[in-house]
Structures are given as structure tokens and as C-alpha cells.
Amino acid sequence: EPQPAVIPPCPLPGKICDVVRSEPPRSCCGMAVAGFRTAKYQLPEWHRRNAGVYYKAFSAGEQAERGRAEAEQLMKHAAASAQRAQNYSKGTLSQRLEDLDFWRTELQKEIMELDAETNMLAAQKLRLERALDATEVPYAVVIDNLECRERRQPPDLVIDEVERQLLKESELIRDIQDLLKRIIIQATTQIRSNRIQKENCELDWSDKVETFHIDDKCVSYCSDSTNVQSHPSSVKFEENASTPKSWAQFSHDNISRAEQEKLASVQLRSLINNIIHDASEDLRMQRAATNEAFDTHCRELDEAKFRLEKHLEQILKDIGEEEANIVNLKKAIRDKEAYLKVAQTRLYDRSFRPNVELCRDEPQFRLVSEVEELTVFLEALKRKLMESEQNLKNLEETRMKLEKEIAVKANSIFIDRQKCMSNRVRYPVDLEVASYK
């Protein structure tokens, strides 16, 4: 700052006279003028008083001149200082505007990115909900398959590979549904956190926009402005005012928290994509395994039914042959009984021969041997007839069992192929694709 001009000192005028107050005044008037003497000054006093007045006037003029010079210098210094202070304040306000614009831009960018990320996460949440809805169809299909297979008849009512795969499939679908529900809750919580942080950033952004307008208006003020007024009370600092460090830290913390929420949201979206893809792949593989088990079991049922039908065909043929055999046996028995009756009648008639004619001759021995031989054959034929009838009965029972088994196999094939496999056509091909629909 310029130093004030220094006025060089000038010597004061010297004393004109010096009166010794101890000497009595000399008067030529004597006692007659004593009364006039008391009200008047002496000439040295008059000169001395005039010199004092001159000195005071000269001192006052010199002091006034020095004061004017100092005032002029002070006015110049004050004007320069005020201009410098105003320019400096304007510069600090301009710098503050740059800082405000920087943080405002950063906050606005963060708000837009966080809003876009929230919208994408909401879309992923919608995908989760659609995927969860899409799992209801395969779960209903699996439960319907299990209920249909409960209507199988013994001995086909077994825990086979198809049932194990269906139970595994139902458990997998329930696990996927539980996982999707947990991820939906997590996504809802993350969306809420994103929106809360977005609201905090928006509040900070709106405060900075308002502050930017205020400081921008302050920058436009100058000494010639007509809309400036005196506000003496505005000099004091507010107790709740922040510091530049805490002010910048506040916005930095808001942006940092927004970045953290955005990163968490991005990671959650990636996790959702992986979960939907993995769930879709697991369902597809399990669906293929269950269908393969159905195909294999249906082929086994077809083969078993075919074999049973072949056995039934053979049994029916055996039954026909056995019935013919029984008829032949019965005819043979009747024929042998006729021969036996002839032989017995001959023996009976020969028993009436008189006296010595009742002889054990060769015909007699031959007839007895014939009766015994026919009796043996008849007993053998009757036993064989009983065996044939029992065999026929066994064949009939076997036929009924085979027919029942064929009916059971046909029922199992109908349940697995017509009921279960036809219903599995409703099974969604891809859960990941279904999540977009």
C-alpha cells in the first residue's frame, strides 16, 4: 500500500520578548492612575499574546494542511483498498462459483448415473419377478406328474428313476423360487438405498444451484449497483456455518456414497444375470434328465408289455392245446372203459360155466390179465387227466395274471406317456428367455 506523504516540519517563530514577572511594573502615573492599570495589559503582554495567536493560527493552518494531505492520502488509500478488496472478493466469489459449478456438475452427473442404474436394477427386478412367475408352470407340471404317477397300480407303483428325477426337479424348483425371492428382496432394498442416496444428492445439488444463483448475483454487484443496501448485521458469522473443508467433504461424501450404492447395484445386477442364467441352465438340464428318464421308463414298459403279450399269446396257445389234450384224455378213458366193460362182461359170463367147465384156461388168464392191464391204464389216464385239468387251471390263472400285468403296464404307459409327458410340453424351454416376457 502507498505510504502517506510526510510534510517536512518548519521552525516556529521565536519569542519576541521575555518579561520577568517578579519585577514590579513601572508606571509614571503614580497612584492617580492605579485604578486604570489593573484592567490593562502591558505592551510586552500584548505582543506576547499576539505572538501566541499567530503561533496558534500558524499551527492550526499547518495542522489543517497536514490533515488535508493525510485525508487525501487516506481517501486514495481507502479507494484503492476498497477497490482491491472488492476485486479480491469478486475473485473469491468467482472461484467459489467455479467450485460450486464443479460440485454441481459432479452431483448432477452422479444423480443421472444413479437414476439410470436404479432404472436398470428395477428392470432386473422385474426380470426376477417374471422368472419367479415362470417357475410356477414347471412346478405345477412336476406336481401333476407326481400326482398322476400315484395312480399307478401295483406292482408298477415303485420309486423308480423317473420319480427320483421328478422329486429332484421339484426340490430344484423350490430352491430356485426361494433364491429368486431372496434376490427380489435384496434388489428392492438396493433400489430403496439408491433412491435415498439419489435424494440426498438432489438435495445437495439443489442447494448448490440456489447458492450458485446467489453467488452469481453477488458477483454482479458493484459500487454503482442500484440494488445494494446497508446490512450492518450481516457481518457476523452464523454458528451453524460450515467450513470450506467440511463443505467440500459433505459433497464428496455424498458422491462417494452414491458411487458405493451404484457399484453395489452393478454387482447385484450382474449377480441377478448369473442367477437367472444358472437357474435356467439347471432347470434345462434337470428337465432333460427327467424327460430322458421318462423315455427310458416308457421304453422299458413297452418292452415289458410286449414280452407279456408274447407270453400271453403262448399261454393262450398252451391253454388251447391243454383243453384239446383233456378232451383226448377223456375220450381215451371212455374208450378204455368200454374195453374194460367187455373184458369184465366176458369174465362175468364165463363165471356161469357149469361144473368142470369152470376151468382156469388160457382165455380165463388172458381176460384177467386184460382187466388188470386196462385198470392200470385207466388209473394212469385219470391221473393224467387230473394233472391236465390242474395245468389248465394254472394256465388260466397265468393268463389272468398276464392280462392283469398287461393292463397295469398299459395304465403305466398311459400315465407316463399320455398324461405326464404330454403335460411336460407346457414346461418353459428357457427360464432366462421367459424372464423377458
Side-chain angles (χ1 to χ4, degrees):
E1 297 179 356
Q3 297 295 330
V6 179
I7 301 174
C10 60
L12 297 176
K15 294 183 179 180
I16 304 299
C17 61
D18 188 10
V19 180
V20 180
R21 294 182 182 275
S22 61
E23 294 181 359
R26 297 177 179 180
S27 176
C28 61
C29 297
M31 293 303 294
V33 293
F36 294 99
R37 175 69 184 87
T38 56
K40 296 178 181 179
Y41 294 94
Q42 295 294 327
L43 185 60
E45 292 177 347
W46 180 77
H47 286 292
R48 188 169 56 250
R49 188 175 185 280
N50 287 337
V53 172
Y54 298 155
Y55 177 75
K56 288 181 179 180
F58 180 78
S59 298
E62 187 181 41
Q63 185 177 0
E65 183 180 359
R66 188 167 54 250
R68 286 192 303 273
E70 292 176 355
E72 184 179 359
Q73 293 297 324
L74 181 60
M75 286 187 293
K76 292 180 180 180
H77 176 66
S81 297
Q83 187 64 36
R84 282 195 307 273
Q86 189 178 84
N87 292 335
Y88 183 74
S89 298
K90 187 175 182 179
T92 56
L93 284 171
S94 299
Q95 181 63 39
R96 186 66 170 176
L97 285 175
E98 292 179 2
D99 295 341
L100 283 169
D101 184 65
F102 170 77
W103 288 112
R104 181 185 64 176
T105 304
E106 291 295 322
L107 286 168
Q108 186 175 5
K109 176 183 175 183
E110 201 63 37
I111 290 169
M112 294 177 63
E113 291 179 355
L114 194 58
D115 184 63
E117 178 60 34
T118 303
N119 292 333
M120 287 189 289
L121 184 59
Q124 291 292 80
K125 177 175 173 286
L126 182 60
R127 283 190 63 200
L128 285 172
E129 293 172 349
R130 289 174 177 172
L132 180 61
D133 294 338
T135 58
E136 294 297 331
V137 174
Y139 187 72
V141 170
V142 172
I143 296 301
D144 181 73
N145 291 162
L146 290 172
E147 290 176 353
C148 287
R149 287 176 62 82
E150 288 295 324
R151 295 195 291 269
R152 292 176 298 168
Q153 298 175 1
D156 283 0
L157 189 62
V158 295
I159 302 177
D160 52 3
E161 182 63 22
V162 175
E163 186 161 352
R164 283 192 290 269
Q165 292 295 335
L166 285 173
L167 292 174
K168 184 178 178 181
E169 189 174 16
S170 65
E171 184 178 358
L172 174 63
I173 295 174
R174 285 197 298 269
D175 292 341
I176 290 175
Q177 288 177 342
D178 294 338
L179 178 61
L180 292 178
K181 289 177 182 178
R182 291 198 302 271
I183 296 299
I184 287 174
I185 294 174
Q186 188 175 352
T188 303
T189 304
Q190 185 61 47
I191 289 173
R192 187 182 300 113
S193 300
N194 288 354
R195 288 174 177 170
I196 290 174
Q197 192 55 41
K198 175 175 171 285
E199 183 179 356
N200 293 335
C201 291
E202 285 176 344
L203 291 175
D204 192 6
W205 176 83
S206 63
D207 291 342
K208 283 181 171 49
V209 169
E210 184 177 358
T211 305
F212 185 87
H213 292 322
I214 293 173
D215 286 351
D216 186 56
K217 183 173 66 173
C218 291
V219 168
S220 66
Y221 288 152
C222 63
S223 302
D224 298 332
S225 299
T226 58
N227 54 347
V228 295
Q229 297 178 358
S230 296
H231 299 281
S233 61
S234 63
V235 179
K236 64 179 182 179
F237 288 99
E238 298 293 338
E239 294 181 358
N240 58 349
S242 61
T243 63
K245 184 178 180 180
S246 63
W247 172 82
Q249 188 66 36
F250 180 77
S251 297
H252 180 272
D253 292 342
N254 281 332
I255 293 175
S256 177
R257 286 191 292 267
E259 287 288 341
Q260 292 176 0
E261 296 297 341
K262 185 171 66 175
L263 179 60
S265 180
V266 170
Q267 293 175 350
L268 182 58
R269 283 196 299 111
S270 177
L271 178 63
I272 290 172
N273 280 330
N274 294 334
I275 287 175
I276 293 178
H277 178 269
D278 293 343
S280 176
E281 188 67 17
D282 292 342
L283 278 180
R284 187 188 63 80
M285 294 178 62
Q286 184 58 41
R287 173 176 175 268
T290 306
N291 290 342
E292 180 65 24
F294 265 113
D295 291 336
T296 302
H297 188 61
C298 286
R299 287 195 299 270
E300 292 175 353
L301 288 173
D302 289 335
E303 184 178 358
K305 182 173 176 291
F306 178 76
R307 290 180 179 178
L308 288 173
E309 289 173 348
K310 285 294 183 182
H311 283 291
L312 178 61
E313 183 180 354
Q314 182 64 38
I315 290 297
L316 292 175
K317 183 178 179 181
D318 292 340
I319 288 174
E321 292 177 354
E322 195 66 33
E323 289 176 347
N325 184 42
I326 290 173
V327 171
N328 293 330
L329 284 173
K330 288 181 178 179
K331 183 177 182 301
I333 289 172
R334 287 194 302 269
D335 292 342
K336 298 303 179 289
E337 285 178 349
Y339 283 104
L340 181 61
K341 288 179 182 179
V342 171
Q344 288 176 349
T345 302
R346 287 175 177 176
L347 286 173
Y348 178 76
D349 289 343
R350 283 175 63 81
S351 66
F352 290 101
R353 289 177 296 170
N355 300 323
V356 73
E357 293 299 326
L358 188 62
C359 176
R360 298 178 180 176
D361 53 3
E362 182 66 23
Q364 185 71 22
F365 286 108
R366 183 59 193 161
L367 286 173
V368 172
S369 175
E370 182 182 1
V371 170
E372 292 177 353
E373 183 179 356
L374 288 173
T375 302
V376 171
F377 278 119
L378 282 173
E379 291 296 329
L381 288 171
K382 288 180 180 179
R383 287 196 300 271
K384 183 58 67 177
L385 178 61
M386 292 178 62
E387 291 178 3
S388 298
E389 289 176 349
Q390 184 63 40
N391 290 335
L392 179 62
K393 184 178 179 181
N394 293 336
L395 288 172
E396 290 291 344
E397 291 178 355
T398 303
R399 178 184 65 83
M400 288 188 293
K401 289 180 180 180
L402 288 174
E403 289 177 348
K404 184 178 179 180
E405 286 294 326
I406 291 173
V408 169
K409 295 295 182 292
N411 179 67
S412 299
I413 292 172
F414 175 77
I415 289 175
D416 285 352
R417 181 168 291 162
Q418 302 299 326
K419 289 291 186 179
C420 295
M421 295 188 70
S422 62
N423 196 18
R424 290 182 69 83
V425 177
R426 298 170 47 232
Y427 206 105
V429 178
D430 193 349
L431 182 63
E432 187 172 4
V433 175
S435 64
Y436 288 103
K437 298 179 180 179

